[in-house]
Amino acid sequence: MEKDPSFNVLGGPLESCSQDPLTGFFRDGHCNTCVEDRGSHTVCAVMTAEFLAYSKYVGNDLSTPRPEFHFPGLNPGDHWCLCAGRFLQAHDEGCAPLVNLAATHRGALDIVPLRILETYSWTDQG
């Protein structure tokens, strides 16, 4: 699998989304994508309790640990490469998580308009 060029939605180099928990289609900590990434795991989302409950409700339980898949389960505040379509669906339902734009792959723009992503812009307050 060949990765698409690693650029973010702002036009700069793609920053890391999360190393702990380790995220991304390639499990490299970045929201990189490729032709084989049918879900477009390109949005670096900051989990909220509301979004995790919504995701579980619509059939993708991200909060329950799945050790057999080396998945620790996500908690509010965790960063995760989310499918662009799921992000857009959550936006439409009024419960989208915040987004780290510098760590969101430009491939997300094929599904989610930049103006919507910018609405949920997260900045590191740490």
Side-chain angles (χ1 to χ4, degrees), residues 33-45:
T33 191
C34 65
V35 173
E36 292 85 358
D37 179 13
R38 299 192 194 287
S40 186
H41 295 77
T42 51
V43 176
C44 182

Side-chain angles (χ1 to χ4, degrees), residues 2 15 21 30 32 35-36 56 71 81 88 99 112 114 119:
E2 185 176 334
E15 294 183 7
H30 292 75
N32 282 302
V35 173
E36 292 85 358
K56 186 174 184 175
F71 180 69
C81 293
L88 189 58
V99 175
V112 185
L114 181 58
T119 302

